[in-house]
Amino acid sequence: MIDASTRLVGLIGYPVEHSASPAMHNAAFAALKMNWAYVALPVYPDHLREAVFGLRALGFAGANVTVPHKQDCMRHLDETSRAADLVGAVNTIVVRDGSTLYGDNTDAYGFIASLREEGFDPSETYCAVIGAGGAARAVTYALAEHGARMITLFNRSTGRAKRLCKDMARFFTAVRFEPHPLSDLGLVGNEYDLLVNTTSIGMWPGVDSSPWPDDLPIPAHLTVCDLVYNPRETRFLSQAGRAGAVTICGLGMLLHQGVAAFRLWTGRQPPLEVMRRALEGGFSK
Ligand code: NAP
């Protein structure tokens, strides 16, 4: 029950009403019998600064940040993590000691945790990433930080892929980064280990679309991951499954970024399976 001593965390974004995060975190608080609540906070871009400062003023323990505020919120924070700085985005704010606004990026952690959960170790691997937006930045940083040998980016706008490769190459000198247009996906051949879709192609309601052309075979030895989680089985993942590849859906990343955020706010070990069930209940197959 919410009462005078309930601790609050929230989700700052716009829109936020379709988010699965409140269900996931509130299920975890209930399972641990914690007097905490997670609320969705729709914030217009013009009000972002007031909203971030408001977390401190209103005694919130922290917040998640989602589209369109992940980059812009950084300028209102007191401290940011290395992951947030290198990705260039914050998805979790912690109000430390009731005063310091600290920003972290748990998307990168969530992505690696979701790969590891399915038995994929990114170290020494050759990775192909489709997309060069915000999610691609988190994925590329995460793969480089965890020892990938080569990361090839395929994006509709090659300029954006080039910028991302250049940004990452400054920090990860041992990793080879290559930008390509989407029309070069045929380069993903035998030497690759991992193929990741970080674009929004295939997301509901555009479920009949895929970033991968129908007439191009997907190598069967690949592990193929789609960050899209609604639907859980995207057209891209069914193409990969039919080709014989191991497939990983985006729900795992969503779960594990939430697990890491929960730990940052509460200092407690989150109930993983409770959170997974709460998420899975919110999405169709
Ligand atoms: P974003 O910054 O807007 O980037 C979108 C990317 O998709 C860009 O690379 C864009 O290419 C590409 N794209 C979009 N429509 C396209 C089309 N019709 N044809 C070709 N390319 C297209 O968005 P984001 O924040 O990276 O999010 C991307 C997806 O990742 C979303 O579906 C989001 O829900 C998902 N995501 C999932 C998780 C998770 O936990 N599973 C976490 C974060 C994000 P251009 O650069 O050429 O425009």
Side-chain angles (χ1 to χ4, degrees):
M1 190 189 71
I2 292 177
D3 62 18
S5 45
T6 302
R7 301 277 349 247
L8 288 174
V9 282
L11 172 65
I12 292 178
Y14 200 87
V16 286
E17 64 265 24
H18 297 301
S19 170
S21 291
M24 172 171 68
H25 286 289
N26 286 322
F29 294 142
L32 296 181
K33 299 193 173 18
M34 293 170 68
N35 189 4
W36 286 57
Y38 186 111
V39 290
L41 304 167
V43 173
Y44 283 116
D46 285 353
H47 297 155
L48 179 61
R49 181 173 175 273
E50 287 156 275
V52 171
F53 288 175
L55 294 172
R56 177 168 48 205
L58 295 169
F60 273 60
N64 278 137
V65 184
T66 188
V67 176
H69 302 314
K70 282 183 174 185
Q71 286 86 28
D72 293 342
C73 76
M74 291 182 78
R75 76 175 85 123
H76 307 306
L77 303 176
D78 301 309
E79 290 172 21
T80 44
S81 67
R82 170 185 153 85
D85 291 343
L86 293 195
V87 173
V90 156
N91 79 329
T92 303
I93 298 174
V94 184
V95 184
R96 286 185 167 163
D97 303 322
S99 66
T100 306
L101 293 169
Y102 172 77
D104 203 346
N105 188 306
T106 68
D107 280 338
Y109 166 86
F111 174 65
I112 296 296
S114 76
L115 292 185
R116 293 224 161 107
E117 195 166 54
E118 301 296 334
F120 186 89
D121 176 1
S123 98
E124 304 293 323
T125 53
Y126 284 64
C127 307
V129 175
I130 310 176
R137 292 192 81 87
V139 163
T140 305
Y141 158 78
L143 291 170
E145 181 82 352
H146 288 85
R149 207 177 263 185
M150 173 158 172
I151 303 172
T152 311
L153 292 178
F154 299 89
N155 198 44
R156 176 173 61 181
S157 133
T158 334
R160 209 171 177 193
K162 279 184 184 155
R163 271 196 303 282
L164 177 46
C165 286
K166 204 170 149 204
D167 289 352
M168 291 295 160
R170 284 172 52 216
F171 293 97
F172 298 101
T173 49
V175 185
R176 196 165 133 211
F177 298 94
E178 263 190 24
H180 284 274
L182 267 185
S183 51
D184 280 356
L185 279 171
L187 293 175
V188 182
N190 283 340
E191 71 277 32
Y192 283 87
D193 304 290
L194 179 70
L195 170 63
V196 189
N197 173 41
T198 72
T199 74
S200 44
I201 303 172
M203 190 169 80
W204 190 88
V207 296
D208 293 331
S209 313
S210 165
W212 193 269
D214 275 328
D215 54 357
L216 186 66
I218 295 182
H221 72 281
L222 289 178
T223 294
V224 177
C225 178
D226 198 336
L227 262 51
V228 172
Y229 48 80
N230 187 17
R232 278 154 70 180
E233 169 134 346
T234 57
R235 176 132 189 275
F236 176 55
L237 283 191
S238 14
Q239 285 169 297
R242 276 199 305 276
V246 171
T247 60
I248 302 178
C249 121
L251 217 55
M253 175 173 171
L254 186 65
L255 168 69
H256 288 286
Q257 64 74 32
V259 161
F262 186 100
R263 248 190 240 120
L264 285 170
W265 297 321
T266 66
R268 293 188 60 173
Q269 192 54 33
L272 181 68
E273 293 311 319
V274 169
M275 293 170 82
R276 192 193 309 274
R277 275 197 302 278
L279 266 189
E280 286 176 353
F283 295 100
S284 62
K285 277 276 175 196

